[in-house]
Amino acid sequence: MSISSAFNSASSGLRVTEARADMVASNIANASTAGYTRREGTQVSSGGTGGQTVDLRMARQVDERLAAMSRGASAQLGQANVTGEVLRGYLSTLGDIGDEISPAARMADFQAGLDLLANNPSSASVQADVLARADTLVRSLNTASNALESSRTLAAASFQSAATEVNSALSDIANLNAQLRGQSIGSPSFSGLMDEMNMRLDALGSQMDFQSRWESSGTLTLFTAGGTELVNGTDAARLTVDTQSGALFADGTDITPNQPGNRGITSGRMAGLSQMLSTVIPQMKLQQDELARGLVESFQDADSSLTAGQPGLFTDGGAAFDPAQSDGLAGRLGINANVRPETGGALWRLRDGMSAATPGDAGATAQINAFIGAFDTARPIATAAGLGNSARLGDLASSMVGAQHNIRVSADSQAGTASIRLATFEDGRSMVEGVNIDTELQKLLEIEQSYGANSQVLSSLSDMIDTLLNAV
């Protein structure tokens, strides 16, 4: 090897050593930087007229398969967490089956009050106690209805907010695509842009599942899990939502989850919020209304003092039940004013019937027993409520409370599973992408040795040249 060739090789070695030192220093400095991906350099040799030289090729350490699995688990966790986020306040207000605040407990308490009245039908204090228990039952349903509406409002606001966040992320990805065009792969600026892209995709992963594809131009194309295009080059779709129905659109294309024929999303926080608005909350509301309908109709049918169109003990805002006005009945449920002394009514109508004109026999129990019998009669339930085809009032109340709490229990179980999967995948990504300070410090020792070796070669070459020049 000639002196010039040796000089070129040693010089290139020093340049590579300097680049490696800069790369390792950057890894150490950014070890705790969110979104930073560890850089690794590979030395490659190249021959030429000037002799054998070496170059450093730098690459971000990523595992796209692990990243995709991590984002998928993040989407599942985001969807499962929606249930607790939206329904936590409502379910706390509703109470569990064994809680005294729940409609199921209030129903049993009211039934027990009627049993006491049957044993002492003439007692004004027992009559007043029955009215108080009926009021408490009604308030439990009114309060639950209001709380569920608050949950629906929260879900609608969160759905709109999530769409805004996704639109921002999609726009950022399109902007990053514009910056990536023409970048030299492996350059510091390219690696920095790729880190930013990685962070945007991770943030998007909790909101929705998606597919991605790198194009020959160096840009990323993004699709929904069903194949609807979200980002193509520098163009990003805009998501819009219908907060009433839970529908989701990308530039007008329906990507609502779980809709046959749609090429939409299948999981993620947006999918969970969509399901809340389209299915879960409407069904919960229907269950409440069916329980309220059962109370109104049962006590209308059991009251022998009524004529057609007259309300029973439980009313729809003071009126008799109207099948055309059943939506929201739980929130309007009330007590017939005919039994309230403060509004001109009389407590004895709890014994004799809501439309009785005058007090009956003080010891009469026929009407009270008819009211008690209403609890033993199975009544039809709307199929869409998901609580079977028919049930007695007490069973319907318990089924409703139990079914609604089971939604939260099931979601928590799914969240636990998704959380474990996400932690596993994130640990795997950390092993690949993360920076280990000890390992990087060991690399610095190797770089120091390489630097010393190349410096020694250059020093020896300089001495040789000096010797040759002195000999001329």
Side-chain angles (χ1 to χ4, degrees), residues 374-442:
F375 288 95
D376 296 324
T377 303
R379 303 195 64 85
I381 307 171
T383 303
L387 298 175
N389 297 321
S390 65
R392 295 178 298 179
L393 285 175
D395 294 337
L396 176 57
S398 296
S399 296
M400 181 195 79
V401 174
Q404 295 187 3
H405 275 280
N406 281 340
I407 291 173
R408 172 70 184 275
V409 171
S410 177
D412 285 348
S413 175
Q414 293 171 10
T417 301
S419 181
I420 292 172
R421 294 182 67 244
L422 178 60
T424 301
F425 297 143
E426 284 297 293
D427 285 345
R429 288 183 69 182
S430 179
M431 294 289 291
V432 175
E433 301 175 5
V435 177
N436 184 302
I437 299 295
D438 291 338
T439 301
E440 298 302 313
L441 290 175
Q442 290 175 6

Side-chain angles (χ1 to χ4, degrees), residues 173-412:
I173 291 170
N175 289 334
L176 286 170
N177 275 341
Q179 297 176 63
L180 282 168
R181 283 180 174 171
Q183 288 282 339
S184 174
I185 296 177
S187 67
S189 59
F190 174 84
S191 296
L193 291 172
M194 291 297 292
D195 281 349
E196 288 189 43
M197 181 72 81
N198 199 49
M199 291 178 65
R200 298 299 186 278
L201 293 175
D202 285 347
L204 185 62
S206 65
Q207 296 286 1
M208 60 191 299
D209 56 341
F210 57 84
Q211 302 180 71
S212 60
R213 182 182 68 226
W214 286 102
E215 308 293 352
S216 58
S217 62
T219 61
L220 183 71
T221 301
L222 213 62
F223 307 89
T224 65
T228 299
E229 194 173 85
L230 296 174
V231 177
N232 186 349
T234 58
D235 297 324
R238 179 168 180 78
L239 268 59
T240 55
V241 298
D242 184 332
T243 57
Q244 291 297 318
S245 67
L248 176 63
F249 305 90
D251 283 345
T253 299
D254 193 343
I255 60 170
T256 306
N258 304 316
Q259 295 298 312
N262 284 0
R263 298 191 303 159
I265 63 175
T266 59
S267 64
R269 190 163 175 272
M270 292 205 74
L273 289 167
S274 173
Q275 187 177 20
M276 277 287 144
L277 291 166
S278 65
T279 306
V280 176
I281 291 178
Q283 186 177 64
M284 286 181 162
K285 182 180 179 182
L286 178 58
Q287 290 171 353
Q288 290 180 351
D289 290 343
E290 284 297 285
L291 179 56
R293 179 174 72 89
L295 281 169
V296 175
E297 286 191 317
S298 294
F299 279 78
Q300 277 183 194
D301 295 345
D303 195 333
S304 60
S305 71
L306 302 180
T307 58
Q310 290 184 315
L313 174 60
F314 297 98
T315 72
D316 180 356
F321 176 70
D322 180 356
Q325 302 294 326
S326 61
D327 184 53
L329 178 59
R332 302 189 304 271
L333 188 66
I335 299 293
N336 197 319
N338 286 348
V339 299
R340 294 191 183 279
E342 65 271 20
T343 58
L347 288 171
W348 51 260
R349 289 195 173 94
L350 288 167
R351 178 192 64 208
D352 301 326
M354 298 303 107
S355 291
T358 58
D361 185 347
T365 59
Q367 184 58 73
I368 299 171
N369 288 331
F371 287 152
I372 295 173
F375 288 95
D376 296 324
T377 303
R379 303 195 64 85
I381 307 171
T383 303
L387 298 175
N389 297 321
S390 65
R392 295 178 298 179
L393 285 175
D395 294 337
L396 176 57
S398 296
S399 296
M400 181 195 79
V401 174
Q404 295 187 3
H405 275 280
N406 281 340
I407 291 173
R408 172 70 184 275
V409 171
S410 177
D412 285 348

Side-chain angles (χ1 to χ4, degrees), residues 108-134:
D109 185 60
F110 172 62
Q111 186 176 4
L114 287 175
D115 289 335
L116 292 174
L117 182 61
N119 292 325
N120 197 357
S122 63
S123 172
S125 62
V126 176
Q127 293 167 0
D129 177 64
V130 170
L131 178 59
R133 296 185 191 212

